[in-house]
Amino acid sequence: MTPERFEQLAEAYGSDLRRWPKAEQAKAQQLRQERPVWARECLDGAADLDDLLSLYRVEAPSMALREQIMAMAPRPHRSLWSRLVTDCRGWGMGLAAAGVAGLMVGIGSVSLMMADQSTDLTVASALDGQSVYSEAVAFGAEEKL
Amino acid sequence: MTNSPPDPDADLILRVGRGDPAAVQALMARKLPRMLALARRMLGDASEAQDVAQEVMLRAWRQAPTWQPGTARFDSWMHRVALNLCYDRLRRQRERPMAEPPDQIDPGPAPDAGLMGMEIKDQVEAAIAALPERQREAIVLCHYQELGNIEAAALMQISVEALESLLSRGRRALRLLLNPLNDRRLEGLA
């Protein structure tokens, strides 16, 4: 590599030889070892600008931006069979839940009706008892008389 | 058969294409900061850069299921999409008519005088924003995105020699703009 080419590369790519074209890195390294003082002077000029450029840092993506992007990210693909199984399982669960709910409503209605009937009987027997009591009172009164 | 090295993202993209949630997270962690940084330095505006980075990621989600490994690196494809979106926005900025033409000369400080009043980091940002677009693109791709010269030249659809010329001119312009800063920085270190 010629010194002119070395200067051109430093001018274009900066002071870090790792940023230089891969095909020319080894030759540049060799020239740097052969002419260390000259090479250092050449690279120092480029390094000053590299240092300034490195001050321009960009803020990390915000959580809000990450969340917005994730909300639109692809979901896992499901095969037709697994969708059918899952859906049927879902339907089965739904039907079972509906059945249990129906059963509960049924049991509730029956017990309500039975409760109504027993209330009627209790009221009736209470009324009956009252009439028996009044009859008894009346009978006692008659006896006392 | 191609001699290009294997795409380091190939396996991840395959998994993203299948909707693997861990791969989706990993791709975002790997690429979103890169795309945001690229757009931020190309556009000089944080809000517009976020819009561009989001759009690139959404297109990556859509592209992943049909991605053909071996055609190009996925990272290069994402850079291409991001640059196209940046250039669309830069074009719109140029074409946007001014609401009202200025009646008189702006009494504020001259642009170069403005640079002197800013923090060093802001001055570097302003100097990069002041570069012609192609010089800025070359420096952003090679210096900040750390792309190789062949990949950067291919993205910019120019020869490697033309890329080197853009880089040299861009760095010379930056040195002129930032030299006083460098002197101040060195004085501060002394």
Side-chain angles (χ1 to χ4, degrees):
Chain A
M1 174 177 288
T2 64
E4 289 74 28
R5 180 61 184 152
F6 190 95
E7 283 171 348
Q8 278 174 5
L9 289 170
E11 177 80 8
Y13 297 98
S15 64
D16 187 348
L17 266 60
R18 288 170 300 181
R19 293 179 189 274
W20 291 20
K22 286 207 174 358
E24 296 182 271
Q25 285 179 10
K27 288 174 190 164
Q29 190 65 40
Q30 191 184 338
L31 187 59
R32 186 157 80 160
Q33 283 166 358
E34 286 167 10
R35 300 180 61 179
V37 177
W38 169 83
R40 194 181 314 118
E41 279 174 11
C42 182
L43 294 176
D44 279 354
D48 289 342
L49 182 60
D50 289 342
D51 290 348
L52 282 174
L53 292 180
S54 69
L55 297 176
Y56 183 10
R57 296 195 186 91
V58 172
E59 57 278 7
S62 66
M63 187 55 75
L65 179 62
R66 286 169 186 271
E67 283 173 357
Q68 276 173 25
I69 294 169
M70 280 309 291
M72 287 177 263
R75 301 277 176 265
H77 295 170
R78 292 188 304 154
S79 67
L80 185 63
W81 174 247
S82 70
R83 258 183 289 172
L84 271 173
V85 168
T86 313
D87 291 352
C88 288
R89 200 183 296 150
W91 278 103
M93 293 285 282
L95 283 171
V100 169
L103 199 65
M104 296 294 284
V105 169
I107 291 169
S109 306
V110 169
S111 52
L112 210 63
M113 282 167 62
M114 286 178 70
D116 282 352
Q117 281 178 0
S118 68
T119 309
D120 292 344
L121 285 171
T122 310
V123 171
S125 67
L127 289 172
D128 283 354
Q130 196 178 22
S131 59
V132 171
Y133 172 76
S134 45
E135 279 171 18
V137 169
F139 176 77
E142 272 177 20
E143 211 173 352
K144 271 187 187 172
L145 289 170
Chain B
M1 191 152 169
T2 173
N3 289 330
S4 57
D7 186 347
D9 297 319
D11 184 51
L12 192 59
I13 302 308
L14 203 68
R15 287 165 51 214
V16 170
R18 289 197 297 256
D20 177 347
V24 166
Q25 283 276 6
L27 185 70
M28 193 172 72
R30 196 182 288 181
K31 300 298 179 190
L32 179 60
R34 261 173 89 65
M35 294 302 116
L36 185 64
L38 171 67
R40 179 76 173 80
R41 291 182 176 119
M42 281 300 295
L43 298 170
D45 181 283
S47 171
E48 289 214 69
Q50 286 200 1
D51 291 346
V52 166
Q54 180 171 350
E55 180 61 28
V56 176
M57 292 308 299
L58 298 187
R59 291 193 190 185
W61 301 151
R62 286 202 293 270
Q63 186 69 20
T66 55
W67 180 252
Q68 296 291 320
T71 51
R73 284 167 41 138
F74 199 75
D75 190 68
S76 300
W77 177 83
M78 290 182 85
H79 273 81
R80 182 72 266 154
V81 173
L83 287 171
N84 285 344
L85 291 170
C86 287
Y87 273 108
D88 285 348
R89 282 169 187 262
L90 289 169
R91 198 178 310 119
R92 279 205 294 272
Q93 280 174 15
R94 278 196 303 270
E95 289 168 359
R96 199 173 295 150
M98 290 173 75
E100 278 179 32
D103 293 333
Q104 53 190 1
I105 296 164
D106 185 355
D112 56 339
L115 268 180
M116 298 310 291
M118 294 187 226
E119 292 289 319
I120 292 180
K121 177 235 167 209
D122 296 330
Q123 294 183 43
V124 175
E125 183 176 340
I128 287 176
L131 288 177
E133 284 168 11
R134 294 292 269 177
Q135 291 179 20
R136 181 163 73 239
E137 184 180 3
I139 286 177
V140 167
L141 291 179
C142 289
H143 185 86
Y144 290 109
Q145 300 298 109
E146 299 188 334
L147 298 184
N149 61 336
I150 295 170
E151 191 177 5
L155 272 172
M156 294 180 71
Q157 296 172 317
I158 55 175
S159 67
V160 170
E161 291 75 23
L163 173 76
E164 273 180 20
S165 171
L166 284 170
L167 285 169
S168 298
R169 282 186 279 147
R171 285 179 67 96
R172 267 201 298 274
L174 285 173
R175 201 174 291 121
L176 278 175
L177 282 166
L178 298 172
N179 248 352
L181 271 185
N182 206 34
D183 295 344
R184 271 171 50 198
R185 195 175 61 92
L186 292 173
E187 280 166 19
L189 290 173

